[in-house]
Amino acid sequence: MEIGLEELQLAARNHGMPLEALRYDRTPAGLHYLLVHYDIPDVDADRFRLIVDGHVERPMELTLADLRERPKVSAPVTLECAGNGRALYEPRPVSQPWLLEAVGTAEWTGASLAALLAEAGVRNGAVDVSFAGADHGLEGGVEQDYERGLPLAEAIRPDLLLAYDMNGHALPPQHGFPLRLVVPGWYGMTSVKWLLRIRVLDRPFDGYQNEHGYRWKTEDDAAGTPVERMRVRSLMVPPGFPTFLPRSRNLRPGPVTLQGRAWSGAGPVARVEISIDDARTWAEAALEQPPGPHAWHRWTFEWDATPGDHVLASRATDATGAEQPLRPDWNVGGYTNNAVQRVPVVVAGEF
Ligand SMILES: Nc1nc2c(c(=O)[nH]1)N[C@H]1C(S)=C(S)[C@@H](COP(=O)(O)O)O[C@H]1N2
Ligand SMILES: [Mo]
């Protein structure tokens, strides 16, 4: 099935992170992947108010200045779109046709969500917290503001941020100016951009993006299970130099340092293995400490490249023992494809 114009339209708006940018600990803002369901909304920072209401003792309304006056929290956080790898499924679910590059790690700075909720006073009986953005659209036949619900137990984790800065500067419009939620460890859809309203609910959130969107299922009419934490994954900085089309990789013979990143929403990465023979045999890569508990690890692997054709691959295992599969795990929405990446290379003295 060829990529259609409707998918191209989405792909042209929502760009990935060029994989050579895996070299940076923190992805420069313009290289960070981007995913916008509807339009980038126009939010006036001077008139902006964040509403905190619902099942709380003290509803709140905060300006940006109020938020910036609160204790600052900052952390590098790896975000990945749940649809990363969708275009590699067969058949390909029709939506944003990501290959492998829907990932990035920015330094997010803002106010603690847990502290704000504590101040608002979550009442007994609360179960979910919903986060609504300023962007509006029609999706699956439902007109909606982009809104996601999160179980209360996740919302009061100490590491969730109401972020107003990305890499030390005010959020760019496309990444949620003036305020966004950042939920470390979860796929990106939970980190609501252009955040306007936080509602504490005494019943499960039943909005479209949780009930219909982002459900893992293998049958169209099944209810499925919610897509939540990022599965363990590793990616490689494309080695050598590309052929313009088809973007295959070319290398000279001799020693070369392969490098990349690995992450998991279930905790630290325990091991990265590299194969240079199309996933037949594996050898362990050197794994570095991540720049923060919710940021990717860098890995390196010394390879003495020999002339000929090779297929390189990297495979990560996280602290829970979860390992990247060799083949993708097909599902209706095209989510959570963490299959091992294959990188064909040609090694030659001359091309
Ligand atoms: N309000 C709003 N928040 C949103 C989205 C959106 O379309 N609207 N997209 C989500 C999805 S699917 C992802 S993967 C991340 C992407 O964040 P980024 O564009 O800053 O990389 O934002 C999430 N937050
Ligand atoms: Mo996403």
Side-chain angles (χ1 to χ4, degrees):
M1 196 180 19
E2 287 175 16
I3 299 267
L5 279 181
E6 291 191 354
E7 288 166 290
L8 177 59
Q9 194 169 230
L10 287 177
R13 292 176 52 80
N14 296 310
H15 63 78
M17 180 192 72
L19 291 184
E20 59 271 33
L22 288 165
R23 70 170 82 100
Y24 306 109
D25 260 3
R26 289 171 180 73
T27 314
L31 292 177
H32 194 283
Y33 87 95
L34 182 68
L35 196 294
V36 178
H37 280 233
Y38 313 134
D39 292 345
I40 297 169
D42 183 16
V43 184
D44 179 344
D46 295 330
R47 293 175 49 201
F48 170 89
R49 298 286 182 279
L50 174 70
I51 308 283
V52 184
D53 66 0
H55 208 59
V56 294
E57 304 289 350
R58 293 167 291 277
M60 298 167 83
E61 216 183 286
L62 298 106
T63 64
L64 264 190
D66 294 336
L67 286 157
R68 283 189 177 269
E69 272 166 22
R70 302 178 68 85
K72 251 188 209 326
V73 194
S74 201
V77 175
T78 296
L79 285 185
E80 182 184 16
C81 181
N84 199 15
R86 176 180 289 125
L88 303 173
Y89 279 117
E90 285 173 43
R92 185 183 72 255
V94 175
S95 183
Q96 167 72 23
W98 291 122
L99 293 165
L100 292 170
E101 51 292 273
V103 65
T105 300
E107 179 81 22
W108 300 101
T109 304
S112 155
L113 173 65
L116 198 75
L117 288 175
E119 209 172 301
V122 173
R123 287 163 51 194
N124 284 339
V127 292
D128 276 358
V129 182
S130 78
F131 300 86
D135 48 333
H136 192 82
L138 191 53
E139 186 175 352
V142 181
E143 188 178 333
Q144 55 190 289
D145 294 334
Y146 186 89
E147 185 171 16
R148 283 275 309 177
L150 195 60
L152 179 66
E154 295 288 334
I156 60 175
R157 270 168 43 191
D159 48 8
L160 273 60
L161 288 179
L162 299 170
Y164 41 72
D165 285 350
M166 177 187 194
N167 294 344
H169 301 280
L171 299 182
Q174 68 273 29
H175 291 293
F177 180 85
L179 189 73
R180 78 175 301 172
L181 176 66
V182 175
V183 182
W186 283 50
Y187 282 112
M189 71 282 165
T190 310
S191 293
V192 175
K193 302 192 274 189
W194 312 292
L195 182 65
L196 290 186
R197 183 168 180 202
I198 301 174
R199 272 191 307 156
V200 177
L201 305 173
D202 59 0
R203 57 188 158 77
F205 177 73
D206 61 1
Y208 180 89
Q209 299 298 338
N210 289 66
E211 281 299 289
H212 300 285
Y214 301 102
R215 308 226 32 123
W216 207 100
K217 57 188 183 185
T218 54
E219 306 284 340
D220 255 335
D221 49 7
T225 53
V227 171
E228 298 183 336
R229 290 180 172 274
M230 297 184 291
R231 287 185 176 176
V232 61
R233 175 174 232 150
S234 61
L235 290 173
M236 190 181 298
V237 172
F241 56 93
T243 302
F244 175 67
L245 272 176
R247 293 204 62 79
S248 53
R249 309 303 304 183
N250 312 290
L251 268 86
R252 307 266 180 243
V256 54
T257 303
L258 302 176
Q259 60 159 321
R261 302 278 168 175
W263 64 94
S264 164
V269 170
R271 184 169 71 237
V272 173
E273 299 158 289
I274 304 303
S275 172
I276 53 160
D277 56 6
D278 202 7
R280 276 189 285 277
T281 61
W282 298 89
E284 197 149 336
L287 188 61
E288 296 179 8
Q289 285 305 310
H294 295 293
W296 54 23
H297 299 242
R298 179 169 182 264
W299 59 260
T300 57
F301 184 83
E302 303 304 329
W303 181 39
D304 198 7
T306 52
D309 292 356
H310 308 273
V311 178
L312 313 182
S314 67
R315 176 170 73 183
T317 304
D318 70 21
T320 71
E323 178 182 284
Q324 289 184 259
L326 291 180
R327 262 171 288 283
D329 206 3
W330 190 90
N331 61 100
V332 171
Y335 299 124
T336 69
N337 180 356
N338 67 334
V340 162
Q341 174 195 17
R342 312 288 177 107
V343 184
V345 300
V346 178
V347 180
E350 218 182 306
F351 289 89

